[in-house]
Amino acid sequence: MTCGACCATFRVSFYWGETDDSYFGTVPQQLTQKLNHQRVCMSGTNQKQPRCVALVGEVGQEVSCSIYQQRPSPCREFLANQDGVNPDCDKARARYGLVPIHVIDIEPSNGEQEIVA
Ligand code: SF4
């Protein structure tokens, strides 16, 4: 909701069968780019300054995925690094000057975010 750094850092590639060109696929094919006979990627992510075409908003401020329900498997499997198991999350956030997510503690009592590490 507020980050989106991974959507604007990595190439998001996956098997073409996840697109709606396939009977069981969900990802809108027109939002993808063909890489080879087997694989496609989200348009906009196969460039020097990646940014997925489905990403709406400003990274680190307020973002959303315009195809959230139909997003491809890499997006479903990429975990926010809340417990230190996904350093790629930290790398993506660092590109945008954001601290690793696991050093942010959300205080429900006052709604403010606090750095605790
Ligand atoms: S499809 Fe959605 S979740 Fe996946 S990279 Fe694009 S904006 Fe991010």
Side-chain angles (χ1 to χ4, degrees), residues 14-73:
F14 48 96
Y15 178 57
W16 77 269
E18 292 191 43
T19 73
D20 58 11
D21 256 1
S22 164
Y23 185 76
F24 294 109
T26 59
V27 183
Q29 181 273 330
Q30 72 271 19
L31 299 183
T32 66
Q33 176 190 342
K34 183 176 179 178
L35 295 174
N36 56 41
H37 290 307
Q38 297 287 320
R39 300 186 72 75
V40 298
C41 69
M42 290 305 298
S43 293
T45 67
N46 190 26
Q47 54 194 33
K48 231 177 187 167
Q49 301 283 329
R51 183 185 166 104
C52 178
V53 291
L55 182 65
V56 178
E58 190 177 338
V59 171
Q61 299 294 316
E62 187 175 344
V63 292
S64 63
C65 172
S66 63
I67 58 163
Y68 188 76
Q69 296 299 330
Q70 301 122 295
R71 70 198 189 285
S73 57

Side-chain angles (χ1 to χ4, degrees), residues 73-106:
S73 57
C75 307
R76 296 173 188 275
E77 292 163 6
F78 193 93
L79 300 176
N81 198 21
Q82 288 166 322
D83 49 12
V85 297
N86 184 6
D88 286 340
C89 171
D90 297 350
K91 287 183 204 163
R93 288 176 60 83
R95 286 187 77 222
Y96 292 90
L98 302 168
V99 298
I101 209 162
H102 54 88
V103 301
I104 298 174
D105 184 31
I106 297 173

Side-chain angles (χ1 to χ4, degrees), residues 104-114 116:
I104 298 174
D105 184 31
I106 297 173
E107 293 288 332
S109 56
N110 60 13
E112 293 178 4
Q113 291 185 342
E114 178 185 0
V116 294

